[in-house]
Amino acid sequence: MIAEKVDLSKYIEMRNDRPHIRGRKIEIAFIASAQRKSKLSVEQLCEEFSLTEIEVLAGLLYHRQNQAEIDAQDEADTKESIELHERYKRDYERK
């Protein structure tokens, strides 16, 4: 079986260097994380985010095809958030 990459541009768009469901502010990483951490089904994800089944499936497929890149972005964002929190926490405590 030959794996073929599907064109998901009808359902996925880039905003601020992050993939989102087209026309929505919902990041692909957020949908994938909700499925993974909360064990939500496709139907539950549709209800939770007010998305169609095809939008959810496209988002999950996009995440699967680009998981390393998306996870690296999330990890970098988390690290930066922690660093900023610590820096501003120290600044606040000095006052």
Side-chain angles (χ1 to χ4, degrees):
M1 185 166 112
I2 299 174
E4 184 178 321
K5 221 172 186 182
V6 177
D7 178 16
L8 299 172
S9 62
K10 181 177 178 181
Y11 305 101
I12 309 297
E13 67 182 354
M14 297 300 285
R15 291 184 182 191
N16 301 320
D17 298 324
R18 302 283 188 268
H20 289 72
I21 298 296
R22 183 168 292 286
R24 307 294 295 276
K25 294 181 180 180
I26 303 169
E27 287 190 36
I28 299 305
F30 194 68
I31 295 169
S33 176
Q35 183 197 38
R36 186 173 55 246
K37 291 179 181 176
S38 300
K39 308 274 191 259
L40 298 178
S41 68
V42 171
E43 293 79 18
Q44 290 169 319
L45 291 167
C46 290
E47 285 182 28
E48 185 72 25
F49 299 108
S50 298
L51 297 171
T52 65
E53 184 177 10
I54 191 97
E55 288 171 324
V56 169
L57 291 172
L60 294 173
L61 179 58
Y62 185 90
H63 183 267
R64 185 177 181 135
Q65 291 177 344
N66 300 280
Q67 186 171 357
E69 180 183 342
I70 293 170
D71 289 350
Q73 288 173 336
D74 281 348
E75 189 175 315
D77 287 348
T78 299
K79 182 180 177 184
E80 181 181 12
S81 177
I82 291 168
E83 289 171 357
L84 288 170
H85 177 75
E86 290 300 316
R87 183 174 60 183
Y88 288 113
K89 179 181 170 185
R90 284 190 304 267
D91 290 348
Y92 179 78
E93 289 172 351
R94 288 183 202 158
K95 292 181 180 182

